[in-house]
């Protein structure tokens, strides 16, 4: 080889570039995290077993959300929530499913749907009779009795408008959005929403997070903007590169109307972000509820309730805004629960693929530590993750972690099969030592079954003493995972009825003491991903046959109860004690 | 990580047995290059083969361990580090890495002991950061703050440190200091994101626009006081073949940071690509002095000397390049020619 040839070879081989990071301008925040290796399984039996009974139960209509095989716009990709509620107060959970539509025009049968529980494992679609037929881009749902008349009302966020349905108490609902003063000017994309009595006046106020400024005519569809690319495949644009929004807070005037207090409360003074799920709970135990908002690719927000009608945004100070490296993540869903049984409410936030979820341990005084990696959750980074829960699925007294998954870029799997459009559910069993292990096969085929899922609600629809799971699947019927728990784990359900506090008791925190453990749970109007679950709190007790309760009511008063027997649903009325005990389940 | 690996290659020294030496060196060289390209799985496979070729070589175990740590295979990493300890005894580097592994496994007491033992003479600048995190995690926020403050002084532009420090102040009830640190964190994080955007814009412009128009976009990256940014700008120019435009940023970068391997290496490569071999020689020599095991610099220096006709100087350099990457057939061919020429003398 002569000198000139050698030069040519080297010139071709040695580029100056040294691995320049070219993160996408558009798309969602992902850290490109590699999963941690899976350790040896504990080998402990898992006593929960899930079967998808949706079709048998009569939940056969698909939830329409954009085209079935592609997602040209981000609006088509984000999906919507689901709810368990008891709209007719018969003691059995009914189901409310949100729906989207398609850009090209109305789709027959695409509507939000209300299913009445027939108390035999099946449901009847009562949407039309209830006056809830509506087609559009619904996103989030929050359930609560905003007018304290004893019946649960429904607020739905969406694009381009939100909707408030008042429960008439006779099986029907009335759209009172405009009359209530909740119709906003212009088009907005409301996402997370939650009832919250932030000023403790006994009436439920309303918080709504907004995602981004969306307009079909102004945002390029898939393939039209070369910057909208994932793994070399053209995909829908956003959220980065699009215009973020601010959340809103409405004060309940007590006469069926609301006043926009976004500016006065301080909620409107935060920088714009891509807000998704919003949850309200008293995270620092001072008797006033905070509002935590999962933001997608911008720092998540924690509104600390100052107790004077205003909030201070303390996301960074608290540790809940970003991960332990100080990087924002693509926040989708939020679960609140007490995984380490120290009587404090912890948080679980879900994110994009190639990233972990974030598990935040409450260390007190509104401080949270990101314990994701040290708790063993770093083994799972494969999927885009959405609705989630910190829930005791096997009644062993240790809350487990569950979330659903599904891609926002169905086009990508054709080139990269490792990023599937439909993917399985994720379940981590709580080992009780601050660590979790992922169960891939042990909890039934319904867990491993792949879907493109979004919202999730947890509740005991068949009143058998365990938690079942309702899941929204994009352009498919929903999944209803019936849980059949074996083993000898006991449980206790607590239903609260407010009197001085709001009737739904939203914002209350119940702390249960059993077997040397202390577990806190909050009564919430929304959580998971844009969803609303059973407000009857479910505590697995393991071997304990009784438990002591402490209730912190939303208005600030506290009550305690000793020796509540296991395997019962107890109803506690504020100021009147236990007003009902119902034994059900095996 | 790139810097650490190569630094440790020098720091630990070598103790090759004669048998398998070439094989170990080749695997370690390939593994190191793969790590530099963030191809950790492939790098681990190379290091594993290096360990298999000579299980008594602590360097192979060490490199394997560092790679396993980067992959999050912490238990395996610990076993490899402990093997190094058996073969070569204690070192500051081992204490540092084992301390980090202790921290990752929530053994804060052990992490504090190990990292604390090397903190006054730290093997790497981020020792103080990890020690601070260990103290905060162990509940000793006051001592944690002390170390995080030291870490912030050592790396004032690292937003992660300011985030942790801000949170520690917040935990200690030092709200004003917390607010100050978190403001700084936010500013640095925003800068970091803006820099990323500038890089994307510049790369996009160089790819899609005529060079004069792209220069205007890329000029946003030109910070005459930031050697890393200058080097990155030059790399972008180099990637698009605009080597003339890469020269000024790189000359400024090596002035600002004479210990920057990236700046020297890229300056050498740029002169080489401009066929200004006499000018390429010194930067490449500086790069090789900073990272003697980096094949890319070594082979280019050899080639530069060869192109300058200085065959006597080129021969040992190319021999080293060939040891680092025995699969490079072209270098092997040139070496044969040079050796034959030497024999004829």
């Amino acid at each position: 080889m002569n000198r000139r040839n050698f030069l040519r070879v080297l010139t071709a081989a040695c580029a100056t570039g040294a691995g320049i990071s070219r993160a996408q301008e558009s798309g969602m925040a992902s850290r490109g995290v590699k999963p941690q290796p899976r350790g040896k399984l504990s080998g402990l039996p898992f006593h929960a077993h899930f079967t998808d009974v949706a079709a048998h139960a009569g939940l056969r209509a698909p939830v329409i959300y954009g085209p079935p095989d592609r997602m040209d716009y981000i609006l088509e990709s984000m999906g919507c929530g689901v709810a368990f509620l008891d709209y007719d107060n018969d003691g059995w959970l009914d189901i409310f499913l949100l729906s989207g539509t398609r850009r090209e025009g109305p789709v027959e049968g695409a509507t939000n749907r209300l299913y009445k529980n027939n108390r035999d494992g099946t449901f009847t679609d009562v949407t039309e009779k209830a006056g809830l037929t509506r087609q559009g881009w619904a996103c989030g749902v929050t359930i609560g009795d905003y007018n304290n008349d004893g019946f649960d009302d429904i607020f739905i966020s969406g694009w381009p408008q939100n909707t408030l349905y008042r429960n008439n108490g006779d099986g029907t609902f009335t759209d009172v959005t405009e009359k209530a003063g909740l119709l906003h000017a212009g088009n907005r994309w409301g996402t997370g929403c939650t009832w919250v009595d932030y000023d403790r006046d006994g009436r439920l106020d309303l918080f709504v997070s907004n995602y981004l400024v969306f307009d079909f005519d102004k945002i390029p569809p898939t393939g039209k903007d070369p910057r909208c690319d994932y793994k070399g495949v053209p995909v829908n644009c956003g959220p980065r590169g699009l215009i973020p929004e601010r959340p809103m807070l409405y004060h309940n005037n007590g006469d069926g109307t609301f006043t926009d207090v976004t500016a006065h409360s301080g909620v409107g003074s935060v920088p714009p972000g891509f807000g998704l799920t919003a949850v309200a709970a008293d995270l620092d135990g001072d008797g006033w509820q905070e509002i935590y908002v999962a933001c997608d690719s911008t720092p998540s927000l924690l509104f600390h309730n100052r107790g004077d009608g205003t909030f201070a945004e303390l996301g960074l100070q608290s540790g809940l805004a970003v991960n332990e490296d100080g990087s924002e993540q693509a926040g989708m869903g939020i679960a609140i629960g007490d995984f380490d049984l120290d009587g404090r409410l912890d948080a679980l936030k879900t994110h994009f693929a190639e990233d972990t979820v974030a598990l935040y341990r409450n260390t007190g005084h509104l401080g949270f530590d990101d314990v994701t990696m040290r708790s063993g959750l770093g083994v799972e980074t494969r999927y885009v993750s959405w609705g989630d829960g910190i829930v005791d699925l096997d009644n062993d007294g240790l809350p487990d972690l569950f979330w659903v998954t599904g891609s926002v870029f169905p086009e990508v799997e054709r080139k990269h099969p490792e990023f599937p459009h439909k993917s399985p559910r994720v379940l981590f069993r709580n080992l009780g030592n601050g660590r979790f292990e992922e169960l891939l096969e042990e909890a039934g085929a319904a867990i491993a079954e792949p879907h493109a899922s979004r919202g999730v609600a947890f509740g005991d629809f068949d009143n058998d003493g365990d938690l079942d799971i309702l899941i929204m699947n994009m352009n498919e019927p929903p999944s209803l995972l019936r849980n059949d728990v074996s083993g000898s784990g006991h449980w206790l359900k607590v239903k609260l009825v407010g009197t001085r506090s709001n009737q739904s008791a939203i914002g209350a925190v119940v702390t249960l003491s059993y077997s040397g453990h202390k577990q806190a749970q909050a009564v919430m109007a929304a959580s998971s991903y844009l969803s609303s679950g059973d407000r009857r709190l479910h505590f697995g007790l393991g071997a304990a046959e009784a438990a002591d309760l402490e209730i912190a009511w939303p208005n600030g008063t506290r009550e305690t109860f000793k020796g509540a027997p296991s395997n019962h649903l107890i109803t506690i009325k504020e100021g009147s004690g236990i007003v009902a005990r119902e034994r059900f389940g095996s | 990580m790139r810097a650490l690996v190569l630094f440790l290659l020098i720091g630990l020294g070598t103790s090759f047995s004669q048998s398998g030496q070439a094989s170990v060196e080749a695997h370690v060289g390939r593994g190191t290059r793969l790590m530099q390209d963030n191809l950790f799985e492939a790098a681990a496979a190379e290091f594993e083969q290096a360990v298999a070729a000579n299980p008594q070589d602590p360097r192979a175990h060490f490199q394997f361990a560092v790679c396993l740590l980067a992959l999050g295979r912490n238990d395996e990493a610990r076993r490899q580090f402990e093997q190094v300890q058996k073969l070569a005894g204690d070192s500051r580097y081992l204490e540092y890495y084992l301390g980090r592994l202790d921290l990752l496994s929530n053994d804060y007491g052990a992490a504090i002991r190990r990292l604390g033992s090397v903190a006054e003479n730290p093997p790497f600048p981020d020792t103080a950061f990890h020690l601070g995190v260990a103290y905060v995690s162990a509940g000793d926020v006051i001592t944690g703050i002390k170390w995080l403050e030291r870490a912030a002084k050592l790396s004032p532009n690292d937003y992660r440190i300011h985030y942790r420090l801000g949170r520690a102040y917040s935990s200690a009830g030092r709200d004003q200091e917390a607010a100050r640190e978190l403001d700084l964190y936010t500013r640095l994080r925003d800068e970091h994101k803006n820099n990323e955007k500038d890089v994307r814009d510049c790369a996009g412009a160089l790819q899609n626009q005529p060079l004069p128009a792209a220069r205007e976009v890329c000029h946003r990256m030109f910070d005459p006081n930031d050697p890393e940014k200058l080097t990155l700008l030059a790399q972008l120019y180099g990637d698009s073949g605009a080597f003339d435009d890469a020269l000024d940023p790189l000359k400024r970068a090596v002035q600002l940071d004479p210990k920057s391997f990236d700046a020297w290496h890229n300056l050498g490569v740029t002169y080489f690509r401009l066929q200004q071999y006499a000018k390429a020689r010194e930067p490449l020599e500086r790069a090789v002095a900073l990272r003697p095991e980096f094949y890319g610099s070594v082979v280019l220096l050899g080639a530069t000397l060869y192109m300058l006709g200085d065959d006597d100087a080129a021969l040992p350099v190319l021999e080293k390049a060939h040891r680092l990457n025995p699969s490079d057939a072209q270098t092997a061919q040139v070496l044969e020619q040079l050796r034959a020429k030497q024999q004829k003398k």
Side-chain angles (χ1 to χ4, degrees), chain B residues 190-213:
Chain B
D190 287 348
E191 273 178 23
H192 178 80
K193 282 195 282 192
N194 289 340
N195 289 345
E196 283 184 343
K197 184 175 182 307
D198 287 348
V199 170
R200 284 192 303 269
D201 289 349
C202 173
L206 285 165
Q207 204 176 357
N208 302 316
Q209 296 178 27
L211 188 57

Side-chain angles (χ1 to χ4, degrees), chain A residues 1-4 6-7 9-12 14-26 34-37 240 297-299 315-328 361 363 366-370 373-375 435, chain B residues 2 71-74 76 104 106 108 137 159-160 163-164 167 170 182 185-186 189 193 196-197 199-201 203 232 234-236 238-239 243 266 269-270 272-273 275 277 296 299-300 303 306-307 309 311 318 330-331 333-334 337 341:
Chain A
M1 180 179 285
N2 62 30
R3 288 177 209 267
R4 190 173 297 277
F6 187 42
L7 171 65
V9 169
L10 274 175
T11 303
C14 300
T16 49
I20 298 159
S21 165
R22 293 193 184 93
Q24 291 183 167
E25 184 176 5
S26 57
K34 293 269 190 296
Q36 287 182 323
R240 285 180 172 164
S297 310
T298 51
L316 285 176
Q317 287 88 336
S318 68
L320 286 174
V322 292
N323 68 14
E324 65 179 346
D325 293 333
S327 298
E328 64 267 23
R361 189 171 68 88
T363 57
L366 217 60
F368 289 81
D369 277 349
D370 179 348
M373 302 311 264
R374 69 185 85 154
S375 61
R435 291 189 65 82
Chain B
R2 191 181 305 180
L71 282 166
R73 291 159 63 178
N74 298 346
E76 294 168 78
L104 288 167
N106 306 332
Y108 307 125
S137 302
Y159 65 82
R160 293 172 309 162
Y163 174 66
R164 293 280 194 153
R167 293 228 39 234
S170 189
L182 291 172
Y185 152 78
T186 304
R189 177 88 185 128
K193 282 195 282 192
E196 283 184 343
K197 184 175 182 307
V199 170
R200 284 192 303 269
D201 289 349
L232 195 54
Q235 286 174 329
L236 291 175
D239 276 351
F243 297 106
N266 282 295
V269 173
T270 303
F272 187 90
R273 297 294 294 262
Q275 300 184 19
Y277 305 115
V299 75
L300 270 187
Y306 181 63
M307 296 308 293
D311 294 350
L318 288 171
Q330 287 76 27
T331 302
Q333 207 179 331
V334 171
Q337 289 171 11
K341 210 169 151 188

